[in-house]
Amino acid sequence: MVEVEVQLTAQRESRIAARRKRIQEKLAAIRQGDTTGTQEATQQQETSKTTQQLLESSRRLLRLRHDTQQGVTAVRVAGDEHENARQQREEHVRQELRGKLLAEAESSAAANAEVAVRWGAVLGLDVPQELFQAIEEQRLSCEAVIASKDRLIADIRAVLKGKDEEYVKLLRRQAADVDTLLGAMARQLADLAAAYREELENVERALLQVRPRFVYIHFVYLVNVCSCGPYGIQKYMYNPDTCY
């Protein structure tokens, strides 16, 4: 009887120990699963941070390049506006001068015809006083025609002088625009270089945070490949996922 009780007690204790072992194994598996899930969540979080940093850097650089292009374009647009305004003023002055030339030509032709018509009557006069008066009137008419032409010549000279002054102003404005453009390009180049340097450091910092994990993954990858043996390595060359 005593031996039977000892055997039953031993069997019961062995069953209890086996049950405890199974429970411990289940708990260990649960803990390992939680740890694996936490690691995967951490890896995904790190990857998302790296991707977010890359996107933010790309957006910032694109926005900065757009702003620099807008700055250069603004200088060109301002130059085009000045040139268009100058051409409009020049066309307006040309139209006015053309109108004056036509008006002067018509008035001068009419005055010359009137003077030519009156010369016949002047030559027919015999009284000295009347002849003198008629010649004086002809002289005044000729002086009026000459004065009209002199005024037109003065207007043309004023236009030419204005064009010379406008040309000097245009050269100065173009030189100022070139200086402004070069200064803007120099500042934008410095800003772009600083921004690229800063974003490169940010991206490098973000990649360095996930570097240990990738190094460990590739280390395990190589260990699995090497553990497959020569045949496994040859097989891995055709299918890299074989040893996982």
Side-chain angles (χ1 to χ4, degrees), residues 67-85:
D67 294 340
T68 54
Q69 291 176 357
Q70 289 297 110
V72 174
T73 304
V75 177
R76 184 181 63 187
V77 170
D80 293 339
E81 290 178 354
H82 285 302
E83 180 63 21
N84 292 331

Side-chain angles (χ1 to χ4, degrees), residues 12-31:
R12 185 171 58 254
E13 290 179 354
S14 63
R15 288 195 299 271
I16 292 173
R19 191 181 298 112
R20 288 177 179 176
K21 183 178 181 181
R22 288 194 298 271
I23 292 173
Q24 290 177 357
E25 289 177 353
K26 290 181 180 180
L27 291 176
I30 293 173
R31 293 193 189 96

Side-chain angles (χ1 to χ4, degrees), residues 48-67 192 195-196 199 203:
S48 63
K49 288 181 178 179
T50 304
T51 305
Q52 184 178 1
Q53 180 61 49
L54 291 173
L55 293 175
E56 290 178 356
S57 299
S58 300
R59 283 196 295 267
R60 181 191 174 190
L61 295 176
L62 288 174
R63 185 169 57 252
L64 185 58
R65 285 199 297 268
H66 178 268
D67 294 340
L192 282 174
Y196 270 96
E199 294 304 326
V203 172

Side-chain angles (χ1 to χ4, degrees), residues 81-96:
E81 290 178 354
H82 285 302
E83 180 63 21
N84 292 331
R86 186 192 67 80
Q87 291 179 359
Q88 291 177 0
R89 290 194 303 269
E90 185 176 356
E91 183 63 25
H92 179 69
V93 172
R94 186 184 297 110
Q95 294 296 333
E96 286 185 352

Side-chain angles (χ1 to χ4, degrees), residues 104 140-153:
E104 197 282 329
L140 293 176
S141 298
C142 292
E143 288 181 353
V145 173
I146 293 173
S148 176
K149 293 183 180 296
D150 289 339
R151 287 193 297 270
L152 182 60
I153 291 172

Side-chain angles (χ1 to χ4, degrees), residues 146-196:
I146 293 173
S148 176
K149 293 183 180 296
D150 289 339
R151 287 193 297 270
L152 182 60
I153 291 172
D155 292 339
I156 294 174
R157 287 178 177 175
V159 171
L160 291 175
K161 184 179 180 181
K163 285 184 176 296
D164 291 338
E165 294 177 353
E166 183 68 22
Y167 179 71
V168 174
K169 292 180 180 179
L170 180 62
L171 290 178
R172 292 177 180 175
R173 185 169 60 248
Q174 288 179 350
D177 291 341
V178 170
D179 293 338
T180 302
L181 185 60
L182 291 176
M185 291 174 65
R187 291 192 300 271
Q188 292 167 3
L189 179 61
D191 294 340
L192 282 174
Y196 270 96

